[in-house]
Amino acid sequence: NMKVKESLRDRIFYYVVVTILIMLAMVAVIPLVTVLALSLSSKAAADMNIVNLWPVGFTLASWKYILTNEGIWRSFFITVGATVIGVLLALTITSLMAYPLSKKEFKAGRILMIMAMITMVFKAPVVPYFLTLKNIGLFNNPLVLFLPQILTAYNMIIMRSFFQAFPSEVEEAALIDGAGRFKLFYSIVLPSSKAVLATVGLFYGVTIWNQFQHPMMFIQDSKLFPLQMKIRQMISNGSELRSLASMVGVNYSDRTLQSAAVVFAILPIIAIYPFLQKYFAKGAMLGSVKG
């Protein structure tokens, strides 16, 4: 009877959790589906405001304009470059800091951890921060898109916790065999840390890809705009889109163009996430069992 009760309770809990997750997923997905449907709808349907979850008067006119816009592609590649370089640098620097901090024998670790925690609690004042980066040449410089983002205390603490759970027996065996600390780190620890590297890498990647306020402070040259700023420029500069949409013979409006631009900016992150999802599940399990 106890087993039946526990089984029934577990089943009820499972269905409640699944229901809540489905509802949360719908809340997240429906706005995206609505915007995608609008980007694939005709000018008339968008003007009449009759598009909901499915395209009305299906057309690729908005997407043809977006995908042939030179300015958007320039911003796209600027953002891709900043994200790729930024993630690689961030993972290198974060792992190099997190690994020694995970070792009890590292005497300075406690002080460095306190310093890292302080950066989570106290943020740099905006004006001194702006002037400091400007004085070192990062104003209107694409490097500002990723250099200030390559080490955050939160991501470093995640990686440190993972390294703390790494089997000490494996490291000791490698050191006995004559491996140095750097060889041990790069040849044994990092190759076994794909789960945490993928997880933290995605955190850094999403931050760099989606940043808007930060580049808005430092980038004024429109030729250096990252994708999010370019999309904002298109959406806020409604007069340009309205003049395009008012042209005779076109099958898009300013709303369908805006929708296509928004989806264009979101798609790369959505496309990458499924390839990294397995590492999230693995990352949750690793560290609980030593092997």
Side-chain angles (χ1 to χ4, degrees), residues 9 28 33 60 74 84 155 187 212 253 256 261:
R9 194 180 302 159
V33 172
L60 294 173
R74 187 193 303 116
V84 172
N155 289 335
S187 301
F212 172 73
S253 71
T256 64

Side-chain angles (χ1 to χ4, degrees), residues 43 240-248 250 252-254 257:
K43 177 181 179 180
E240 179 189 343
L241 293 181
R242 276 191 288 274
S243 64
L244 280 166
S246 63
M247 291 169 61
V248 178
V250 300
Y252 48 71
S253 71
D254 56 332
L257 288 174

Side-chain angles (χ1 to χ4, degrees), residues 147-279:
L147 281 183
Q149 320 286 348
I150 57 177
L151 179 64
T152 64
Y154 177 76
N155 289 335
M156 189 272 292
I157 290 169
I158 292 174
M159 205 171 275
R160 172 180 172 264
S161 300
F162 179 88
F163 289 145
Q164 281 178 329
F166 194 84
S168 57
E169 299 85 2
V170 175
E171 295 179 272
E172 288 165 7
L175 290 171
I176 291 169
D177 288 343
R181 286 285 182 184
F182 274 99
K183 187 177 181 183
L184 163 66
F185 180 62
Y186 283 110
S187 301
I188 295 171
V189 177
L190 281 187
S192 304
S193 305
K194 290 177 184 175
V196 76
L197 290 174
T199 304
V200 172
L202 187 66
F203 289 162
Y204 277 120
V206 170
T207 300
I208 297 171
W209 184 274
N210 287 334
Q211 64 181 329
F212 172 73
Q213 191 171 4
H214 190 264
M216 192 167 67
M217 288 171 60
F218 295 99
I219 305 288
Q220 288 189 346
D221 185 351
S222 59
K223 290 182 179 178
L224 298 176
F225 277 3
L227 187 57
Q228 307 303 334
M229 283 185 71
K230 186 66 180 178
I231 300 299
R232 168 63 187 272
Q233 184 189 39
M234 287 186 65
I235 292 174
S236 61
N237 193 5
S239 58
E240 179 189 343
L241 293 181
R242 276 191 288 274
S243 64
L244 280 166
S246 63
M247 291 169 61
V248 178
V250 300
N251 199 17
Y252 48 71
S253 71
D254 56 332
R255 289 183 65 209
T256 64
L257 288 174
Q258 289 170 2
S259 300
V262 168
V263 175
F264 180 76
I266 297 170
L267 278 179
I269 292 292
I270 294 176
I272 288 172
Y273 181 76
F275 296 101
L276 299 178
Q277 189 177 12
K278 62 179 180 179
Y279 292 113

Side-chain angles (χ1 to χ4, degrees), residues 19-34:
T19 303
I20 292 170
L21 289 175
I22 289 172
M23 290 171 65
L24 290 172
M26 289 177 66
V27 168
V29 168
I30 286 174
L32 177 60
V33 172
T34 304

